[in-house]
Amino acid sequence: MASDYTLNGMLAWLGMDDPTDTQLTLCSIAADDAENTIRKIRQQDSSEEIEDIYKGLAIEMSVYLYEKRGVDGVSSFSENGISRVYERGTFPNSMLRRITPKASNAAFEKE
């Protein structure tokens, strides 16, 4: 379950003062995906809170995912004179590169 910080930050970014149940559910799913992606790359347990340095990125990633609804798998499209281009994947590499994996303790253990 996404943290209140990520979810509230996402709602503020999207300008949702009074979100519908559907909007809240979709925002929660996007926030969960963003936080879980950060935890996976950071090699954190799913119950651990993400570090403060990544909280803003979690909001940014969840907003990106929410706004990309309906165009999954599309890398670009134009509609009514508006062109949009997306990087491939759920989250763009430009966001994922901002997450540093933790060093493995195994490298420091003696055999």
Side-chain angles (χ1 to χ4, degrees):
M1 184 169 163
S3 70
D4 288 340
Y5 185 88
T6 301
L7 186 56
N8 290 333
M10 182 183 180
L11 293 171
W13 189 319
L14 293 169
M16 293 184 187
D17 295 327
D18 189 23
T20 65
D21 288 342
T22 301
Q23 288 172 322
L24 195 55
T25 298
L26 292 171
C27 286
S28 295
I29 292 168
D32 280 342
D33 282 354
E35 287 187 358
N36 288 333
T37 298
I38 291 170
R39 282 189 196 98
K40 182 178 178 183
I41 293 171
R42 293 287 297 154
Q43 301 172 14
Q44 290 181 272
D45 185 75
S46 62
S47 64
E48 290 181 79
E49 186 176 329
I50 61 173
E51 295 104 334
D52 289 345
I53 194 170
Y54 295 110
K55 288 184 177 183
L57 180 59
I59 294 168
E60 187 178 338
M61 290 171 66
S62 57
V63 168
Y64 177 88
L65 191 57
Y66 179 86
E67 289 184 333
K68 193 176 172 184
R69 291 172 303 120
V71 293
D72 296 340
V74 174
S75 59
S76 67
F77 72 95
S78 296
E79 183 178 6
N80 296 327
I82 298 173
S83 297
R84 298 187 191 266
V85 178
Y86 298 102
E87 293 181 45
R88 295 188 186 270
T90 304
F91 298 107
N93 286 331
S94 59
M95 287 182 179
L96 298 177
R97 282 192 300 263
R98 293 165 49 193
I99 306 167
T100 305
K102 286 184 178 179
S104 170
N105 286 338
F108 300 107
E109 292 176 5
K110 295 182 181 179
E111 292 184 32

